[in-house]
Amino acid sequence: MPIEQKHTGKGNPNAVFGIELNNRQKDLLEKLSEFGSKVIVDKKSVNMADLSAKE
């Protein structure tokens, strides 16, 4: 089985919706104050849960 097929992407993409952001996520969101804004962060300071969290 090729490594590309290891993760099927199945699951609930909205599973994080409705959960309050933690302080670290709120700080990241403040840095992205406008739609389309960009920020450079250290790789270790953000994870997939942060990227999928919604306010």
Side-chain angles (χ1 to χ4, degrees):
M1 178 192 249
I3 194 167
E4 293 86 11
Q5 294 178 354
K6 184 175 181 181
H7 302 288
T8 62
K10 293 181 181 176
N12 182 358
N14 293 320
V16 182
F17 184 75
I19 298 173
E20 187 173 333
L21 299 178
N22 63 36
N23 289 335
R24 187 173 46 80
Q25 291 168 335
K26 289 177 185 177
D27 289 340
L28 284 169
L29 185 59
E30 285 180 19
K31 292 177 182 178
L32 299 167
S33 59
E34 296 179 20
F35 181 80
S37 59
K38 299 176 185 180
V39 65
I40 297 174
V41 295
D42 184 50
K43 183 178 179 179
K44 295 178 183 177
S45 68
V46 68
N47 58 45
M48 291 305 290
D50 298 330
L51 298 175
S52 63
K54 298 177 183 179
E55 185 176 44

